């Protein structure tokens, strides 16, 4: 019997580039959340591993060992028949293949070796808000992060992460505060508005349409904040209500039929 797993979209609410190591890897400080929207996988134990990719973004996704989910099955030590329903655009700064691979590891084991598949895979093992530092290897669960209505928009262009880092002019930028604490939802949103995605400007220089995406979100009714996620090109808008988010996504999709625009909700912290 197949086991269903969900690979939620990963959103970098903040992405501060704080340095670069001698080996070329960049140092980051990022607050990461996940969403109710994601890819779906069905995993069935099998004699040999196989992969079938379906869904609106199946085109161009490899169905062999080039796909991280295949390699995740190898790390888990469990041959699987995998069906992957791609609901999220790939190469879009929202986790994509890393989240898919993490879903396999989370379901079948092998989590301790997640970093072998890429710097973004370990953070995708949990759906709760996390602070990601170092090269993505220093993770910390974060309390006090509220859930909120979101609109995700991707203009249908890919901006390869190495290219964005290559044109990033300043590699030494301030980190977030050492201690993250917000007494209220309003305080969180005020703090978030003061943070940055240091890759946003170089991404816009590489793909100017990202500026148009941000403008569309910011002009939508109820949008509290719009920012690019990861290295792009997906941008997110935080909205006051689910209804306003759904309305904004529908209006943006109607105005720009070539863009991917979806309303969803983020997954907040578990408070104890």
């Amino acid at each position: 019997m197949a086991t269903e797993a969900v690979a939620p979209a990963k959103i970098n609410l903040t992405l501060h580039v704080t340095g670069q190591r001698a080996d070329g890897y960049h140092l980051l400080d990022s607050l990461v959340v996940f969403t109710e929207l994601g890819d779906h996988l069905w995993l069935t134990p099998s004699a040999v591993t196989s992969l079938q990719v379906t869904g609106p973004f199946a085109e161009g996704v490899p169905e062999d060992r080039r796909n991280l989910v295949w390699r995740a099955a190898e790390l888990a030590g469990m041959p699987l028949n995998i069906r992957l329903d791609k609901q999220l655009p790939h190469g879009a700064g929202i986790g994509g293949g890393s989240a898919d691979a993490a879903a396999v590891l989370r379901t079948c084991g092998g989590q301790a070796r997640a970093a072998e598949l890429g710097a973004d895979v370990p953070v995708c093992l949990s759906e709760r808000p996390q602070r990601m530092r170092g090269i993505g290897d220093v993770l910390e669960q974060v309390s006090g992060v509220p859930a909120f209505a979101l609109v995700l928009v991707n203009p249908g262009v890919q901006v390869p992460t190495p290219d964005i880092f290559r044109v990033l002019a300043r590699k030494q930028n301030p980190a977030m505060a050492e201690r993250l604490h917000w007494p209220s939802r309003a305080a969180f949103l005020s703090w978030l508005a003061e943070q940055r995605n240091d890759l946003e400007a170089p991404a816009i220089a590489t793909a100017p349409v990202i500026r148009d995406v941000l403008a569309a979100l910011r002009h939508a009714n109820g949008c509290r904040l719009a920012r690019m996620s990861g290295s792009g090109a997906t941008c997110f808008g935080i909205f006051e209500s689910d209804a306003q988010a759904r309305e904004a996504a529908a209006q943006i999709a109607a105005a720009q039929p070539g863009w991917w625009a979806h309303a969803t909700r983020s997954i907040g912290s578990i408070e104890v």
Side-chain angles (χ1 to χ4, degrees):
M1 179 179 295
T3 300
E4 184 177 0
V6 179
K10 174 185 70 69
I11 306 300
N12 296 91
L13 294 181
T14 71
L15 204 168
H16 298 200
V17 180
T18 59
Q20 186 175 19
R21 301 193 322 192
D23 60 7
Y25 283 98
H26 290 83
L27 302 175
L28 309 175
D29 192 7
S30 177
L31 180 60
V32 174
V33 298
F34 294 86
T35 77
E36 295 177 356
L37 180 67
D39 293 338
H40 288 252
L41 301 92
W42 288 265
L43 310 171
T44 306
S46 178
V48 295
T49 294
S50 62
L51 172 62
Q52 176 191 13
V53 183
T54 61
F57 291 100
E59 184 177 355
V61 178
E63 294 184 326
D64 54 27
R65 197 179 182 276
R66 290 173 295 166
N67 195 307
L68 284 181
V69 300
W70 186 297
R71 291 160 59 192
E74 292 179 338
L75 282 186
M78 181 181 298
L80 296 169
N81 174 275
I82 304 169
R83 181 160 71 88
L84 169 59
D85 180 36
K86 285 296 296 179
Q87 293 294 317
L88 302 176
H90 34 88
I94 52 175
S98 295
D100 296 337
V104 174
L105 298 178
R106 193 168 56 244
T107 304
C108 301
Q111 295 95 321
R113 300 179 64 187
E116 296 179 29
L117 298 177
D120 260 0
V121 179
V123 73
C124 294
L125 291 172
S126 170
E127 66 179 15
R128 294 297 169 179
Q130 297 165 77
R131 185 176 191 168
M132 181 172 67
R133 287 186 273 193
I135 60 170
D137 57 331
V138 181
L139 301 174
E140 175 187 356
Q141 295 278 337
V142 180
S143 62
V145 179
F148 32 72
L150 284 176
V151 174
L152 307 182
V153 181
N154 184 282
V157 301
Q158 292 193 19
V159 284
T161 300
D163 294 351
I164 302 305
F165 276 110
R166 194 174 297 118
V167 298
L168 178 64
R170 182 180 174 86
K171 309 294 179 73
Q172 304 281 343
N173 299 288
M176 295 187 291
E178 186 60 32
R179 181 172 179 266
L180 302 182
H181 173 71
W182 310 279
S184 66
R185 179 187 182 89
F188 175 82
L189 290 172
S190 294
W191 170 86
L192 186 59
E194 297 172 353
Q195 308 309 304
R196 318 178 307 276
N197 181 343
D198 289 328
L199 300 184
E200 192 171 284
I204 289 172
T206 303
V209 68
I210 295 172
R211 182 185 293 110
D212 301 330
V213 172
L214 290 168
L217 285 166
R218 288 167 180 156
H219 292 153
N221 181 43
C223 183
R224 295 288 304 274
L225 176 108
R227 183 171 287 154
M228 189 182 78
S229 177
S231 58
T234 304
C235 300
F236 65 89
I238 295 176
F239 283 76
E240 294 179 0
S241 71
D242 294 325
Q244 289 172 325
R246 289 192 296 268
E247 180 183 9
Q251 290 176 345
I252 291 171
Q256 297 287 349
W259 292 4
W260 176 81
H262 274 270
T264 184
R265 285 190 66 80
S266 66
I267 299 170
S269 302
I270 296 177
E271 306 306 334
V272 294

